[in-house]
């Protein structure tokens, strides 16, 4: 069994949430903030922009809309949401890691209506029902309590609005063996070459610990979402869950 490097969270989780303390998760993302984007593109085999476009398209937003991107990281999903809602809209990106938020805020400083703030997904700095949609991309698996994460997103969205979660999955398709090999061998190797072996070993462990798509759909319903469904992207290596906020 692989061991975490010193100061890297274990990534061992449960059906409830990631076992790694948020302080360790935050410190790890602070360390990798500057190399995160190029590494992310490489480990996704350049698929990540396509997945992001699908997420934003399913959010159901139009010009002037209000969107929340939780665990926004370097802000790419938030920036795509801002493009969708235009200059009259409003998009807020929230992340636990000050270094990630710093990268996002610098990169997208010229975008009207796009703001970034440090905050915890389990206690979002948002008003009830203040947004038309809330997204989380590759962030849910890092949270110590998935249900509370979804409940906080649902609380922040108006009735009838959408909550969307894009996350890496363990594929069961015919491509599964190749994809697992890529994930178990190539992803940690890319991380090691970039001097971030511990962080990318954590990524692999946290994906293995993350519940199956059906269970995530159940957790979303337990968090108060309705019409929950999910789709597999790129042969099942990523899943996109979508739910609707019910009447309050
Ligand atoms: C794999 S990155 C994903 C970043 C971005 N959404 C993307 O698609 O590239 C996961 C992010 O989740 C953030 N995160 C982890 N735990 C969090 C928490 N409790 N609250 C808010 N953000 C958190 C990390 O700081 C990190 O930026």
């Amino acid at each position: 069994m692989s061991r975490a490097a010193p100061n890297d969270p274990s990534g061992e989780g449960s059906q409830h949430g990631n076992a790694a303390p948020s302080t360790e998760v935050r410190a790890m993302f602070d360390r990798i903030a500057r190399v995160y984007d190029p590494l992310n593109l490489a480990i996704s085999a350049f698929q990540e922009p396509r997945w992001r476009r699908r997420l934003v398209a399913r959010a159901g937003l139009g010009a002037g809309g209000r969107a929340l991107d939780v665990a926004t990281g370097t802000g790419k999903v938030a920036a795509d949401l801002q493009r969708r809602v235009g200059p009259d809209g409003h998009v807020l990106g929230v992340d636990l890691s000050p270094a990630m938020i710093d990268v996002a805020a610098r990169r997208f400083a010229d975008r009207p209506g796009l703001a970034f703030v440090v905050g915890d997904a389990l206690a979002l700095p948002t008003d009830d029902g203040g947004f038309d949609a809330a997204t989380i991309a590759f962030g849910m698996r890092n949270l110590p309590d998935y249900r509370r994460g979804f409940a906080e997103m649902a609380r922040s969205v108006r009735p009838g609005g959408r909550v969307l979660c894009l996350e890496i999955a363990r594929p069961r398709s015919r491509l599964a063996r190749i994809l697992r090999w890529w994930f178990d061998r190539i992803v940690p190797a890319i991380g090691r070459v970039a001097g971030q072996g511990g962080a990318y070993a954590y990524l692999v462990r946290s994906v293995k610990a993350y519940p199956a798509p059906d269970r995530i759909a159940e957790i979303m319903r337990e968090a108060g979402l309705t019409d929950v469904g999910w789709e597999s992207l790129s042969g099942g290596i990523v899943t996109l869950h979508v739910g609707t906020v019910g009447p309050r």
Side-chain angles (χ1 to χ4, degrees):
M1 187 175 144
S2 58
R3 292 226 162 269
N7 302 321
D8 285 314
S10 76
E12 285 156 9
S14 66
Q15 295 292 296
H16 177 73
N18 182 12
S22 288
T23 46
E24 290 180 21
V25 172
R26 181 180 58 212
M28 189 193 71
F29 281 105
D30 277 344
R31 280 198 300 281
I32 65 169
R34 300 215 167 273
V35 293
Y36 177 80
D37 280 336
L39 280 187
N40 207 25
L41 203 56
I43 67 169
S44 75
F46 300 89
Q47 297 298 297
E48 187 256 345
R50 206 158 67 86
W51 300 334
R52 229 183 317 132
R53 280 196 294 277
R54 181 71 183 150
L55 170 70
V56 171
R58 292 292 313 276
L61 292 161
R66 297 157 302 159
L68 171 69
D69 184 41
V70 178
T72 194
T74 56
K76 295 183 306 295
V77 169
D80 286 357
L81 290 165
Q82 189 274 339
R83 208 169 290 126
R84 176 62 63 118
V85 300
D88 296 331
H90 172 62
V91 177
L92 179 66
V94 179
D95 198 282
L96 194 63
S97 157
M100 291 293 232
I101 286 292
D102 191 49
V103 172
R106 282 166 194 262
R107 178 176 304 164
F108 300 112
D110 59 341
R111 295 285 192 97
L114 176 56
F116 293 100
V117 65
V118 174
D120 191 337
L122 301 190
L124 286 167
T126 54
D127 292 335
D128 294 0
F131 294 92
D132 299 310
T135 55
I136 185 166
F138 312 117
M140 187 54 71
R141 129 186 81 76
N142 297 289
L143 304 186
D145 186 336
Y146 309 131
R147 190 182 312 159
R148 193 158 146 204
F150 282 117
E152 271 295 272
M153 292 171 77
R155 178 190 63 72
S156 307
V157 171
R158 64 164 170 79
R162 288 189 190 155
V163 168
L164 304 99
C165 175
L166 187 66
E167 192 49 273
I168 305 171
R170 301 293 288 170
R172 284 178 248 159
S173 68
R174 278 186 297 165
L175 279 173
R177 275 179 55 184
I178 299 169
L179 294 174
R180 284 203 188 115
W181 169 80
W182 174 268
F183 211 72
D184 291 346
R185 303 269 175 235
I186 304 301
V187 168
I190 293 172
R192 277 196 302 277
V193 168
Q196 300 295 340
Y200 284 82
Y202 161 76
L203 165 67
V204 173
R205 285 192 301 275
S206 64
V207 168
K208 285 182 180 165
Y210 192 63
D214 284 343
R215 177 65 193 133
I216 291 296
E218 257 177 52
I219 293 171
M220 290 175 74
R221 286 184 206 103
E222 289 163 11
L225 292 160
T226 61
D227 298 329
V228 176
W230 57 274
E231 62 182 293
S232 290
L233 306 178
S234 299
I237 199 154
V238 161
T239 52
L240 173 58
H241 282 81
V242 183
T244 302
V245 176
R248 281 197 257 271

